[in-house]
Amino acid sequence: MTRSDLPTFVCPECGAENNSFANVCWICRSPLYQGKEELIDAELVPPEVAARQSKFGHGLSIWAFVLLVFATVLITFGMLASSFDGIIPFLLIVVPLVVAVSAFMLRGSRSENPVLQKLSLALSAVVATIGTVILLMIATIIALFAFCLMLLSIH
């Protein structure tokens, strides 16, 4: 909104245009409203930006949740492939932690509390970033492995 978009009020003394929120004229300093105040009922309308941010935050939370569960499953299968020794303590520690973090991210993104929403968004962003980097590293290792196999099959 620019200054020219504001409604104006003409000063009864000098005729200068003032914005409608001014109490006195900007030129002659005479009062613009003399006992003509009226109350206006206003309704607070939430901006569309907040709705878009909320949808973005919830989408990011879902993406972070999927990455967190995927990483947990991959690590569990990796541990099962090497040995069964540490799988029970791992599952007893990691699964409740993953459930708690996921619940916080998903419920916090839908919360009315702005602090909780921001914390949830920050945690979701951290989890999504770390998960994406790890997935890219895994994809790079797989691509390098496939490239090495291709080179070995040529010779």
Side-chain angles (χ1 to χ4, degrees):
M1 178 179 246
T2 63
R3 190 170 257 235
S4 62
D5 293 337
L6 294 174
T8 59
F9 183 79
V10 177
C11 175
E13 296 294 320
C14 68
E17 284 190 9
N18 296 277
N19 85 28
S20 61
F21 302 109
N23 291 330
V24 295
C25 177
W26 68 279
I27 292 180
C28 68
R29 294 288 179 207
S30 65
L32 295 175
Y33 301 101
Q34 297 173 353
K36 295 188 224 175
E37 295 181 20
E38 63 182 65
L39 295 176
I40 299 173
D41 289 332
E43 182 180 324
L44 181 62
V45 179
E48 292 180 18
V49 175
R52 277 188 263 134
Q53 287 175 344
S54 176
K55 286 180 184 177
F56 171 76
H58 189 66
L60 182 64
S61 296
I62 291 173
W63 174 241
F65 168 73
V66 168
L67 284 174
L68 197 58
V69 169
F70 183 68
T72 305
V73 169
L74 280 180
I75 292 171
T76 305
F77 281 136
M79 288 184 71
L80 283 174
S82 64
S83 72
F84 288 104
D85 296 339
I87 196 69
I88 300 297
F90 171 77
L91 290 177
L92 288 175
I93 293 170
V94 170
V95 169
L97 186 62
V98 167
V99 169
V101 168
S102 300
F104 176 75
M105 287 185 310
L106 294 173
R107 295 190 94 203
S109 67
R110 291 286 190 191
S111 173
E112 295 294 322
N113 186 345
V115 174
L116 193 59
Q117 277 184 342
K118 289 178 183 174
L119 283 173
S120 172
L121 181 64
L123 182 62
S124 299
V126 167
V127 169
T129 301
I130 291 171
T132 303
V133 168
I134 289 172
L135 285 177
L136 287 172
M137 289 186 334
I138 291 171
T140 303
I141 291 169
I142 291 171
L144 287 173
F145 182 73
F147 182 70
C148 290
L149 285 177
M150 184 182 71
L151 286 177
L152 288 174
S153 68
I154 291 175
H155 296 291

